[in-house]
Amino acid sequence: MNDTTTTLERLVSAVEALDPGLADADPDATYHALGLDSLTLAEISLRIERDFEVPVDDTEITEEFSLRSTAQLVDEKLAHRAKEQ
């Protein structure tokens, strides 16, 4: 299992409380296709900051992102943080 798959699983666990349907959503479907609004995207950003301890600007995650692309973003931020330490 690669890092992005693990991050994706953790991300789904973190955000499914916002919308239980996310647990069964296609990880490649855009947030727009899933019908998520900007408030939900902001809440996803906050959960990422809390659960993964990486900063996420409210404008970084857009409706064109998917769960998988969000997990990739989180992985990039985690890798960047690891390099700085």
Side-chain angles (χ1 to χ4, degrees):
M1 187 175 305
N2 67 34
D3 289 343
T4 299
T5 301
T6 302
T7 303
L8 178 60
E9 290 170 354
R10 286 183 59 205
L11 178 64
V12 170
S13 294
V15 300
E16 70 182 338
L18 300 173
D19 183 336
L22 290 175
D24 298 319
D26 176 355
D28 295 310
T30 65
Y31 292 137
H32 176 76
L34 295 173
L36 301 183
D37 60 19
S38 59
L39 179 59
T40 304
L41 298 181
E43 290 174 355
I44 289 172
S45 296
L46 291 172
R47 289 194 185 246
I48 290 169
E49 288 182 343
R50 182 192 72 199
D51 294 355
F52 292 90
E53 299 178 356
V54 293
V56 179
D57 188 276
D58 287 344
T59 60
E60 270 184 289
I61 298 175
T62 68
E63 64 183 13
E64 297 309 314
F65 268 65
S66 65
L67 288 166
R68 188 176 315 279
S69 62
T70 303
Q72 291 168 337
L73 174 71
V74 171
D75 278 343
E76 290 169 10
K77 288 180 173 287
L78 289 169
H80 180 74
R81 184 180 69 192
K83 286 181 184 178
E84 289 182 339
Q85 293 178 346

